[in-house]
Amino acid sequence: MSEDALFDVAVVGGGPAGATAAHDLARRGRKVALIDKAGRIKPCGGAIPPRLIRDFGIPDHLLKARVSSARMISPKGVAVDMPIKGGFVGMVDRCEFDEWLRCRAAASGAMRVTGAYERITRDEDGVARVHYRAKGETEPRTLRARLVIGADGALSQVGRQEVPGADKTRFVFAYHEVIETPPAEASDPDRCEIHYRGALSPDFYAWIFPHGDTMSVGTGSANKGFSLKNSVRDLRDGTGLSEASTVRREGAPIPLKPLKRWDNGRDVVLAGDAAGVVAPASGEGIYYAMLGGRLSADAVEECLRTGDVRALSMARKRFIKLHGRVFFILGIMQYFWYRNDRLREAFVNICKDPDVQRLTWEAYMNKELVRADPMAHVRIFFKDLAHLLRLASP
């Protein structure tokens, strides 16, 4: 590949956001370069909703499990089962899932480039030149692109170098261990566990998610002094998983608030974790990353078609219009319910409520707030208020 070859778009980062953006643009006939470091796997429970499977054409063979129930476990050990009526939560292995997305992008016409992004410069004609370093090489390589999509994760170097305010993001740090599923756990392969206990996470939660032959056991916290590895060890010890063979260990920061700006007003737009689109309270990111990648691709296509760089700002505007209210509500939930074990106990108790269960799963599976049953929302509001004011016992 000549370093003077001109791409329409260079996508930096081959996770769900970057691979989706590259796929969408290549399908439209755009000349796309997908730059990605080989072998990077994000720590992730791997949960995806049916909406994602439909909207992004995910084949069944990538689903390692179809979860039909979530077990919420309180600080005192009270377990509340939340069955998913009329649906499921899909579970994927990010190692296989992300690579499939990259291969699909390549099959659509995107050129895969293996290397670590370093920086962007501009040639005399104003065209961006992306500098990257291939593994094992001492000299960096470059490629030219009219526009760049930065999908290089929570600590996005593209964002920090090119987009004002991208270095101000706050993070939850996540860590998980992928283990072989013990025979005793294989008898209930369709249930995930979510543990709300300050000892396992002072401000988030811990999880056990089934992936068929393997399981993801993890936790997260914004408290830098909190030992995530010790927490996962305690969780494994307390749930009879300490002797299970560990397949791999992974850790990474996860942003929980969309950036106020995703583009540089010139030739760069962000997507996925680089743009901060991971849901508060739940930590769900795959669907929002892929949607963000698609919206960034749409904005780039519009910019290429019209020559108007203001089109790049439409990615964030469209995302916030679709999901800004959900992120706001989830942020409030995390702020109120995850502060201490008393409130966590009350939160798990509220999860027994049929209205809470139904509205939660409907919103999760369809990625839309449920407005058709206003009285259910009113009932939940007053129950929440009673717990906050200590008028109801956990």
Side-chain angles (χ1 to χ4, degrees), residues 236-272:
R236 290 181 63 172
D237 289 346
T239 54
L241 299 174
S242 58
E243 299 302 319
S245 297
T246 302
V247 177
R248 64 180 189 265
R249 299 176 174 87
E250 298 153 355
I254 297 175
L256 294 184
K257 187 174 183 180
L259 294 178
K260 293 183 178 180
R261 183 171 178 175
W262 292 8
D263 70 286
N264 67 350
R266 179 179 181 178
D267 54 9
V268 172
V269 63
L270 304 179

PDB file of all heavy atoms in Angstrom, residues 236-272:
ATOM      1  N   ARG A 236     -15.192 -15.247  43.445  1.00  0.00           N
ATOM      2  CA  ARG A 236     -15.016 -16.648  43.044  1.00  0.00           C
ATOM      3  C   ARG A 236     -15.011 -17.571  44.255  1.00  0.00           C
ATOM      4  O   ARG A 236     -15.629 -18.649  44.231  1.00  0.00           O
ATOM      5  CB  ARG A 236     -13.721 -16.807  42.233  1.00  0.00           C
ATOM      6  CG  ARG A 236     -13.785 -16.161  40.848  1.00  0.00           C
ATOM      7  CD  ARG A 236     -12.498 -16.357  40.071  1.00  0.00           C
ATOM      8  NE  ARG A 236     -12.225 -17.779  39.813  1.00  0.00           N
ATOM      9  CZ  ARG A 236     -11.246 -18.225  39.030  1.00  0.00           C
ATOM     10  NH1 ARG A 236     -10.449 -17.352  38.419  1.00  0.00           N
ATOM     11  NH2 ARG A 236     -11.052 -19.519  38.854  1.00  0.00           N
ATOM     12  N   ASP A 237     -14.331 -17.135  45.320  1.00  0.00           N
ATOM     13  CA  ASP A 237     -14.311 -17.953  46.538  1.00  0.00           C
ATOM     14  C   ASP A 237     -15.714 -18.115  47.116  1.00  0.00           C
ATOM     15  O   ASP A 237     -16.094 -19.207  47.554  1.00  0.00           O
ATOM     16  CB  ASP A 237     -13.398 -17.312  47.594  1.00  0.00           C
ATOM     17  CG  ASP A 237     -11.920 -17.414  47.233  1.00  0.00           C
ATOM     18  OD1 ASP A 237     -11.582 -18.205  46.326  1.00  0.00           O
ATOM     19  OD2 ASP A 237     -11.114 -16.678  47.841  1.00  0.00           O
ATOM     20  N   GLY A 238     -16.482 -17.027  47.113  1.00  0.00           N
ATOM     21  CA  GLY A 238     -17.804 -17.058  47.737  1.00  0.00           C
ATOM     22  C   GLY A 238     -18.863 -17.761  46.920  1.00  0.00           C
ATOM     23  O   GLY A 238     -19.953 -18.040  47.430  1.00  0.00           O
ATOM     24  N   THR A 239     -18.577 -18.031  45.647  1.00  0.00           N
ATOM     25  CA  THR A 239     -19.578 -18.669  44.784  1.00  0.00           C
ATOM     26  C   THR A 239     -19.127 -20.040  44.294  1.00  0.00           C
ATOM     27  O   THR A 239     -19.734 -20.605  43.380  1.00  0.00           O
ATOM     28  CB  THR A 239     -19.884 -17.776  43.569  1.00  0.00           C
ATOM     29  OG1 THR A 239     -18.667 -17.443  42.898  1.00  0.00           O
ATOM     30  CG2 THR A 239     -20.591 -16.494  44.016  1.00  0.00           C
ATOM     31  N   GLY A 240     -18.088 -20.570  44.905  1.00  0.00           N
ATOM     32  CA  GLY A 240     -17.632 -21.914  44.548  1.00  0.00           C
ATOM     33  C   GLY A 240     -16.908 -22.002  43.219  1.00  0.00           C
ATOM     34  O   GLY A 240     -16.826 -23.084  42.623  1.00  0.00           O
ATOM     35  N   LEU A 241     -16.337 -20.884  42.758  1.00  0.00           N
ATOM     36  CA  LEU A 241     -15.658 -20.875  41.460  1.00  0.00           C
ATOM     37  C   LEU A 241     -14.139 -20.739  41.588  1.00  0.00           C
ATOM     38  O   LEU A 241     -13.450 -20.552  40.585  1.00  0.00           O
ATOM     39  CB  LEU A 241     -16.196 -19.718  40.611  1.00  0.00           C
ATOM     40  CG  LEU A 241     -17.693 -19.763  40.288  1.00  0.00           C
ATOM     41  CD1 LEU A 241     -18.107 -18.480  39.558  1.00  0.00           C
ATOM     42  CD2 LEU A 241     -18.030 -20.988  39.448  1.00  0.00           C
ATOM     43  N   SER A 242     -13.631 -20.851  42.783  1.00  0.00           N
ATOM     44  CA  SER A 242     -12.197 -20.619  42.989  1.00  0.00           C
ATOM     45  C   SER A 242     -11.325 -21.672  42.323  1.00  0.00           C
ATOM     46  O   SER A 242     -10.183 -21.389  41.933  1.00  0.00           O
ATOM     47  CB  SER A 242     -11.881 -20.563  44.491  1.00  0.00           C
ATOM     48  OG  SER A 242     -12.289 -21.765  45.129  1.00  0.00           O
ATOM     49  N   GLU A 243     -11.839 -22.889  42.175  1.00  0.00           N
ATOM     50  CA  GLU A 243     -11.026 -23.963  41.600  1.00  0.00           C
ATOM     51  C   GLU A 243     -11.162 -24.065  40.088  1.00  0.00           C
ATOM     52  O   GLU A 243     -10.447 -24.839  39.443  1.00  0.00           O
ATOM     53  CB  GLU A 243     -11.416 -25.302  42.231  1.00  0.00           C
ATOM     54  CG  GLU A 243     -11.193 -25.372  43.734  1.00  0.00           C
ATOM     55  CD  GLU A 243      -9.738 -25.117  44.107  1.00  0.00           C
ATOM     56  OE1 GLU A 243      -8.847 -25.635  43.396  1.00  0.00           O
ATOM     57  OE2 GLU A 243      -9.496 -24.391  45.090  1.00  0.00           O
ATOM     58  N   ALA A 244     -12.067 -23.301  39.501  1.00  0.00           N
ATOM     59  CA  ALA A 244     -12.254 -23.351  38.046  1.00  0.00           C
ATOM     60  C   ALA A 244     -11.015 -22.805  37.336  1.00  0.00           C
ATOM     61  O   ALA A 244     -10.380 -21.852  37.795  1.00  0.00           O
ATOM     62  CB  ALA A 244     -13.481 -22.544  37.647  1.00  0.00           C
ATOM     63  N   SER A 245     -10.654 -23.420  36.225  1.00  0.00           N
ATOM     64  CA  SER A 245      -9.475 -22.999  35.469  1.00  0.00           C
ATOM     65  C   SER A 245      -9.713 -21.630  34.843  1.00  0.00           C
ATOM     66  O   SER A 245     -10.785 -21.363  34.286  1.00  0.00           O
ATOM     67  CB  SER A 245      -9.154 -24.013  34.374  1.00  0.00           C
ATOM     68  OG  SER A 245      -8.831 -25.272  34.927  1.00  0.00           O
ATOM     69  N   THR A 246      -8.714 -20.767  34.950  1.00  0.00           N
ATOM     70  CA  THR A 246      -8.799 -19.425  34.384  1.00  0.00           C
ATOM     71  C   THR A 246      -8.264 -19.431  32.958  1.00  0.00           C
ATOM     72  O   THR A 246      -7.133 -19.832  32.716  1.00  0.00           O
ATOM     73  CB  THR A 246      -8.016 -18.422  35.241  1.00  0.00           C
ATOM     74  OG1 THR A 246      -8.528 -18.444  36.582  1.00  0.00           O
ATOM     75  CG2 THR A 246      -8.137 -17.010  34.673  1.00  0.00           C
ATOM     76  N   VAL A 247      -9.084 -18.970  32.032  1.00  0.00           N
ATOM     77  CA  VAL A 247      -8.699 -18.936  30.620  1.00  0.00           C
ATOM     78  C   VAL A 247      -7.888 -17.682  30.317  1.00  0.00           C
ATOM     79  O   VAL A 247      -6.851 -17.735  29.667  1.00  0.00           O
ATOM     80  CB  VAL A 247      -9.948 -18.993  29.716  1.00  0.00           C
ATOM     81  CG1 VAL A 247      -9.570 -18.890  28.241  1.00  0.00           C
ATOM     82  CG2 VAL A 247     -10.747 -20.261  29.985  1.00  0.00           C
ATOM     83  N   ARG A 248      -8.354 -16.532  30.794  1.00  0.00           N
ATOM     84  CA  ARG A 248      -7.619 -15.284  30.594  1.00  0.00           C
ATOM     85  C   ARG A 248      -8.119 -14.233  31.577  1.00  0.00           C
ATOM     86  O   ARG A 248      -9.208 -14.344  32.134  1.00  0.00           O
ATOM     87  CB  ARG A 248      -7.751 -14.770  29.157  1.00  0.00           C
ATOM     88  CG  ARG A 248      -9.156 -14.383  28.723  1.00  0.00           C
ATOM     89  CD  ARG A 248      -9.168 -13.881  27.277  1.00  0.00           C
ATOM     90  NE  ARG A 248     -10.459 -13.318  26.904  1.00  0.00           N
ATOM     91  CZ  ARG A 248     -11.422 -13.974  26.294  1.00  0.00           C
ATOM     92  NH1 ARG A 248     -11.234 -15.253  25.984  1.00  0.00           N
ATOM     93  NH2 ARG A 248     -12.558 -13.380  25.991  1.00  0.00           N
ATOM     94  N   ARG A 249      -7.305 -13.206  31.781  1.00  0.00           N
ATOM     95  CA  ARG A 249      -7.637 -12.083  32.650  1.00  0.00           C
ATOM     96  C   ARG A 249      -7.513 -10.789  31.851  1.00  0.00           C
ATOM     97  O   ARG A 249      -6.540 -10.628  31.091  1.00  0.00           O
ATOM     98  CB  ARG A 249      -6.699 -12.024  33.864  1.00  0.00           C
ATOM     99  CG  ARG A 249      -6.759 -13.264  34.750  1.00  0.00           C
ATOM    100  CD  ARG A 249      -5.737 -13.166  35.880  1.00  0.00           C
ATOM    101  NE  ARG A 249      -5.845 -14.261  36.823  1.00  0.00           N
ATOM    102  CZ  ARG A 249      -5.235 -15.430  36.700  1.00  0.00           C
ATOM    103  NH1 ARG A 249      -4.443 -15.634  35.633  1.00  0.00           N
ATOM    104  NH2 ARG A 249      -5.384 -16.377  37.600  1.00  0.00           N
ATOM    105  N   GLU A 250      -8.472  -9.868  32.055  1.00  0.00           N
ATOM    106  CA  GLU A 250      -8.468  -8.630  31.280  1.00  0.00           C
ATOM    107  C   GLU A 250      -8.945  -7.470  32.137  1.00  0.00           C
ATOM    108  O   GLU A 250      -9.816  -7.644  32.992  1.00  0.00           O
ATOM    109  CB  GLU A 250      -9.398  -8.752  30.055  1.00  0.00           C
ATOM    110  CG  GLU A 250      -8.979  -9.837  29.077  1.00  0.00           C
ATOM    111  CD  GLU A 250     -10.143 -10.393  28.276  1.00  0.00           C
ATOM    112  OE1 GLU A 250     -11.295 -10.004  28.540  1.00  0.00           O
ATOM    113  OE2 GLU A 250      -9.871 -11.231  27.385  1.00  0.00           O
ATOM    114  N   GLY A 251      -8.385  -6.296  31.901  1.00  0.00           N
ATOM    115  CA  GLY A 251      -8.811  -5.105  32.612  1.00  0.00           C
ATOM    116  C   GLY A 251      -8.708  -3.880  31.733  1.00  0.00           C
ATOM    117  O   GLY A 251      -7.844  -3.814  30.851  1.00  0.00           O
ATOM    118  N   ALA A 252      -9.583  -2.896  31.969  1.00  0.00           N
ATOM    119  CA  ALA A 252      -9.572  -1.667  31.167  1.00  0.00           C
ATOM    120  C   ALA A 252     -10.496  -0.637  31.796  1.00  0.00           C
ATOM    121  O   ALA A 252     -11.430  -0.985  32.522  1.00  0.00           O
ATOM    122  CB  ALA A 252     -10.009  -1.943  29.731  1.00  0.00           C
ATOM    123  N   PRO A 253     -10.252   0.657  31.525  1.00  0.00           N
ATOM    124  CA  PRO A 253     -11.186   1.698  31.973  1.00  0.00           C
ATOM    125  C   PRO A 253     -12.423   1.728  31.086  1.00  0.00           C
ATOM    126  O   PRO A 253     -12.352   1.453  29.881  1.00  0.00           O
ATOM    127  CB  PRO A 253     -10.368   2.985  31.827  1.00  0.00           C
ATOM    128  CG  PRO A 253      -9.400   2.681  30.728  1.00  0.00           C
ATOM    129  CD  PRO A 253      -9.073   1.221  30.860  1.00  0.00           C
ATOM    130  N   ILE A 254     -13.567   2.059  31.676  1.00  0.00           N
ATOM    131  CA  ILE A 254     -14.818   2.164  30.936  1.00  0.00           C
ATOM    132  C   ILE A 254     -15.456   3.515  31.258  1.00  0.00           C
ATOM    133  O   ILE A 254     -15.737   3.807  32.413  1.00  0.00           O
ATOM    134  CB  ILE A 254     -15.782   1.030  31.324  1.00  0.00           C
ATOM    135  CG1 ILE A 254     -15.176  -0.329  30.953  1.00  0.00           C
ATOM    136  CG2 ILE A 254     -17.125   1.208  30.624  1.00  0.00           C
ATOM    137  CD1 ILE A 254     -16.013  -1.504  31.402  1.00  0.00           C
ATOM    138  N   PRO A 255     -15.690   4.366  30.263  1.00  0.00           N
ATOM    139  CA  PRO A 255     -16.327   5.663  30.514  1.00  0.00           C
ATOM    140  C   PRO A 255     -17.826   5.497  30.721  1.00  0.00           C
ATOM    141  O   PRO A 255     -18.446   4.618  30.125  1.00  0.00           O
ATOM    142  CB  PRO A 255     -16.048   6.447  29.225  1.00  0.00           C
ATOM    143  CG  PRO A 255     -15.995   5.380  28.172  1.00  0.00           C
ATOM    144  CD  PRO A 255     -15.387   4.166  28.834  1.00  0.00           C
ATOM    145  N   LEU A 256     -18.397   6.326  31.578  1.00  0.00           N
ATOM    146  CA  LEU A 256     -19.829   6.217  31.854  1.00  0.00           C
ATOM    147  C   LEU A 256     -20.590   7.505  31.573  1.00  0.00           C
ATOM    148  O   LEU A 256     -21.667   7.712  32.114  1.00  0.00           O
ATOM    149  CB  LEU A 256     -20.045   5.788  33.313  1.00  0.00           C
ATOM    150  CG  LEU A 256     -19.570   4.383  33.669  1.00  0.00           C
ATOM    151  CD1 LEU A 256     -19.936   4.059  35.106  1.00  0.00           C
ATOM    152  CD2 LEU A 256     -20.155   3.344  32.729  1.00  0.00           C
ATOM    153  N   LYS A 257     -20.050   8.337  30.709  1.00  0.00           N
ATOM    154  CA  LYS A 257     -20.767   9.558  30.343  1.00  0.00           C
ATOM    155  C   LYS A 257     -20.303  10.011  28.967  1.00  0.00           C
ATOM    156  O   LYS A 257     -19.106  10.140  28.725  1.00  0.00           O
ATOM    157  CB  LYS A 257     -20.509  10.668  31.369  1.00  0.00           C
ATOM    158  CG  LYS A 257     -21.350  11.910  31.144  1.00  0.00           C
ATOM    159  CD  LYS A 257     -21.151  12.912  32.265  1.00  0.00           C
ATOM    160  CE  LYS A 257     -22.055  14.126  32.081  1.00  0.00           C
ATOM    161  NZ  LYS A 257     -21.871  15.107  33.172  1.00  0.00           N
ATOM    162  N   PRO A 258     -21.248  10.245  28.043  1.00  0.00           N
ATOM    163  CA  PRO A 258     -20.847  10.712  26.707  1.00  0.00           C
ATOM    164  C   PRO A 258     -20.090  12.032  26.783  1.00  0.00           C
ATOM    165  O   PRO A 258     -20.427  12.918  27.572  1.00  0.00           O
ATOM    166  CB  PRO A 258     -22.184  10.887  25.981  1.00  0.00           C
ATOM    167  CG  PRO A 258     -23.138   9.988  26.704  1.00  0.00           C
ATOM    168  CD  PRO A 258     -22.706  10.025  28.139  1.00  0.00           C
ATOM    169  N   LEU A 259     -19.058  12.147  25.960  1.00  0.00           N
ATOM    170  CA  LEU A 259     -18.334  13.406  25.883  1.00  0.00           C
ATOM    171  C   LEU A 259     -19.256  14.518  25.385  1.00  0.00           C
ATOM    172  O   LEU A 259     -20.215  14.271  24.651  1.00  0.00           O
ATOM    173  CB  LEU A 259     -17.155  13.274  24.913  1.00  0.00           C
ATOM    174  CG  LEU A 259     -16.022  12.318  25.301  1.00  0.00           C
ATOM    175  CD1 LEU A 259     -14.975  12.289  24.198  1.00  0.00           C
ATOM    176  CD2 LEU A 259     -15.396  12.721  26.617  1.00  0.00           C
ATOM    177  N   LYS A 260     -18.950  15.745  25.763  1.00  0.00           N
ATOM    178  CA  LYS A 260     -19.754  16.884  25.327  1.00  0.00           C
ATOM    179  C   LYS A 260     -19.524  17.206  23.855  1.00  0.00           C
ATOM    180  O   LYS A 260     -20.330  17.889  23.221  1.00  0.00           O
ATOM    181  CB  LYS A 260     -19.435  18.106  26.187  1.00  0.00           C
ATOM    182  CG  LYS A 260     -19.877  17.951  27.637  1.00  0.00           C
ATOM    183  CD  LYS A 260     -19.601  19.205  28.443  1.00  0.00           C
ATOM    184  CE  LYS A 260     -20.087  19.043  29.882  1.00  0.00           C
ATOM    185  NZ  LYS A 260     -19.817  20.263  30.694  1.00  0.00           N
ATOM    186  N   ARG A 261     -18.418  16.703  23.327  1.00  0.00           N
ATOM    187  CA  ARG A 261     -18.116  16.936  21.920  1.00  0.00           C
ATOM    188  C   ARG A 261     -17.428  15.702  21.358  1.00  0.00           C
ATOM    189  O   ARG A 261     -16.556  15.132  22.004  1.00  0.00           O
ATOM    190  CB  ARG A 261     -17.216  18.169  21.775  1.00  0.00           C
ATOM    191  CG  ARG A 261     -16.902  18.538  20.344  1.00  0.00           C
ATOM    192  CD  ARG A 261     -16.204  19.889  20.288  1.00  0.00           C
ATOM    193  NE  ARG A 261     -15.854  20.239  18.911  1.00  0.00           N
ATOM    194  CZ  ARG A 261     -15.316  21.387  18.539  1.00  0.00           C
ATOM    195  NH1 ARG A 261     -15.070  22.315  19.460  1.00  0.00           N
ATOM    196  NH2 ARG A 261     -15.031  21.619  17.277  1.00  0.00           N
ATOM    197  N   TRP A 262     -17.832  15.292  20.147  1.00  0.00           N
ATOM    198  CA  TRP A 262     -17.254  14.105  19.524  1.00  0.00           C
ATOM    199  C   TRP A 262     -16.367  14.419  18.326  1.00  0.00           C
ATOM    200  O   TRP A 262     -15.685  13.518  17.824  1.00  0.00           O
ATOM    201  CB  TRP A 262     -18.368  13.159  19.057  1.00  0.00           C
ATOM    202  CG  TRP A 262     -19.148  12.531  20.158  1.00  0.00           C
ATOM    203  CD1 TRP A 262     -19.083  12.821  21.490  1.00  0.00           C
ATOM    204  CD2 TRP A 262     -20.135  11.499  20.032  1.00  0.00           C
ATOM    205  NE1 TRP A 262     -19.973  12.043  22.199  1.00  0.00           N
ATOM    206  CE2 TRP A 262     -20.630  11.232  21.326  1.00  0.00           C
ATOM    207  CE3 TRP A 262     -20.653  10.802  18.936  1.00  0.00           C
ATOM    208  CZ2 TRP A 262     -21.619  10.275  21.569  1.00  0.00           C
ATOM    209  CZ3 TRP A 262     -21.635   9.859  19.163  1.00  0.00           C
ATOM    210  CH2 TRP A 262     -22.108   9.589  20.474  1.00  0.00           C
ATOM    211  N   ASP A 263     -16.381  15.652  17.825  1.00  0.00           N
ATOM    212  CA  ASP A 263     -15.626  15.953  16.606  1.00  0.00           C
ATOM    213  C   ASP A 263     -14.744  17.177  16.813  1.00  0.00           C
ATOM    214  O   ASP A 263     -14.931  17.946  17.766  1.00  0.00           O
ATOM    215  CB  ASP A 263     -16.579  16.190  15.433  1.00  0.00           C
ATOM    216  CG  ASP A 263     -17.352  17.491  15.585  1.00  0.00           C
ATOM    217  OD1 ASP A 263     -18.284  17.533  16.424  1.00  0.00           O
ATOM    218  OD2 ASP A 263     -17.027  18.466  14.890  1.00  0.00           O
ATOM    219  N   ASN A 264     -13.771  17.348  15.913  1.00  0.00           N
ATOM    220  CA  ASN A 264     -12.856  18.483  16.012  1.00  0.00           C
ATOM    221  C   ASN A 264     -13.241  19.629  15.076  1.00  0.00           C
ATOM    222  O   ASN A 264     -12.486  20.589  14.921  1.00  0.00           O
ATOM    223  CB  ASN A 264     -11.415  18.050  15.737  1.00  0.00           C
ATOM    224  CG  ASN A 264     -11.197  17.614  14.294  1.00  0.00           C
ATOM    225  OD1 ASN A 264     -12.154  17.457  13.529  1.00  0.00           O
ATOM    226  ND2 ASN A 264      -9.938  17.388  13.927  1.00  0.00           N
ATOM    227  N   GLY A 265     -14.423  19.494  14.432  1.00  0.00           N
ATOM    228  CA  GLY A 265     -14.876  20.549  13.538  1.00  0.00           C
ATOM    229  C   GLY A 265     -14.125  20.627  12.236  1.00  0.00           C
ATOM    230  O   GLY A 265     -14.275  21.601  11.473  1.00  0.00           O
ATOM    231  N   ARG A 266     -13.345  19.567  11.956  1.00  0.00           N
ATOM    232  CA  ARG A 266     -12.521  19.609  10.751  1.00  0.00           C
ATOM    233  C   ARG A 266     -12.523  18.289   9.990  1.00  0.00           C
ATOM    234  O   ARG A 266     -13.011  18.204   8.873  1.00  0.00           O
ATOM    235  CB  ARG A 266     -11.092  20.010  11.109  1.00  0.00           C
ATOM    236  CG  ARG A 266     -10.132  20.056   9.939  1.00  0.00           C
ATOM    237  CD  ARG A 266      -8.743  20.479  10.390  1.00  0.00           C
ATOM    238  NE  ARG A 266      -7.828  20.555   9.263  1.00  0.00           N
ATOM    239  CZ  ARG A 266      -6.565  20.934   9.344  1.00  0.00           C
ATOM    240  NH1 ARG A 266      -6.057  21.282  10.519  1.00  0.00           N
ATOM    241  NH2 ARG A 266      -5.789  20.972   8.275  1.00  0.00           N
ATOM    242  N   ASP A 267     -11.985  17.240  10.636  1.00  0.00           N
ATOM    243  CA  ASP A 267     -11.834  15.970   9.910  1.00  0.00           C
ATOM    244  C   ASP A 267     -11.824  14.743  10.807  1.00  0.00           C
ATOM    245  O   ASP A 267     -11.509  13.648  10.355  1.00  0.00           O
ATOM    246  CB  ASP A 267     -10.553  15.986   9.065  1.00  0.00           C
ATOM    247  CG  ASP A 267      -9.304  16.328   9.866  1.00  0.00           C
ATOM    248  OD1 ASP A 267      -9.385  16.386  11.118  1.00  0.00           O
ATOM    249  OD2 ASP A 267      -8.239  16.552   9.243  1.00  0.00           O
ATOM    250  N   VAL A 268     -12.175  14.902  12.076  1.00  0.00           N
ATOM    251  CA  VAL A 268     -12.149  13.783  13.032  1.00  0.00           C
ATOM    252  C   VAL A 268     -13.462  13.715  13.788  1.00  0.00           C
ATOM    253  O   VAL A 268     -13.988  14.746  14.239  1.00  0.00           O
ATOM    254  CB  VAL A 268     -10.980  13.914  14.037  1.00  0.00           C
ATOM    255  CG1 VAL A 268     -11.084  12.854  15.135  1.00  0.00           C
ATOM    256  CG2 VAL A 268      -9.640  13.806  13.337  1.00  0.00           C
ATOM    257  N   VAL A 269     -13.999  12.502  13.966  1.00  0.00           N
ATOM    258  CA  VAL A 269     -15.161  12.275  14.810  1.00  0.00           C
ATOM    259  C   VAL A 269     -14.919  10.992  15.604  1.00  0.00           C
ATOM    260  O   VAL A 269     -14.262  10.065  15.114  1.00  0.00           O
ATOM    261  CB  VAL A 269     -16.464  12.172  13.971  1.00  0.00           C
ATOM    262  CG1 VAL A 269     -16.435  10.985  13.025  1.00  0.00           C
ATOM    263  CG2 VAL A 269     -17.690  12.111  14.875  1.00  0.00           C
ATOM    264  N   LEU A 270     -15.418  10.954  16.828  1.00  0.00           N
ATOM    265  CA  LEU A 270     -15.191   9.813  17.719  1.00  0.00           C
ATOM    266  C   LEU A 270     -16.394   8.874  17.733  1.00  0.00           C
ATOM    267  O   LEU A 270     -17.506   9.257  17.377  1.00  0.00           O
ATOM    268  CB  LEU A 270     -14.905  10.293  19.137  1.00  0.00           C
ATOM    269  CG  LEU A 270     -13.743  11.270  19.299  1.00  0.00           C
ATOM    270  CD1 LEU A 270     -13.603  11.683  20.772  1.00  0.00           C
ATOM    271  CD2 LEU A 270     -12.446  10.654  18.800  1.00  0.00           C
ATOM    272  N   ALA A 271     -16.155   7.645  18.193  1.00  0.00           N
ATOM    273  CA  ALA A 271     -17.234   6.652  18.286  1.00  0.00           C
ATOM    274  C   ALA A 271     -16.917   5.659  19.398  1.00  0.00           C
ATOM    275  O   ALA A 271     -15.756   5.441  19.751  1.00  0.00           O
ATOM    276  CB  ALA A 271     -17.410   5.908  16.957  1.00  0.00           C
ATOM    277  N   GLY A 272     -17.967   5.037  19.940  1.00  0.00           N
ATOM    278  CA  GLY A 272     -17.785   3.987  20.951  1.00  0.00           C
ATOM    279  C   GLY A 272     -17.253   4.520  22.267  1.00  0.00           C
ATOM    280  O   GLY A 272     -17.586   5.633  22.701  1.00  0.00           O
TER     281      GLY A 272
END
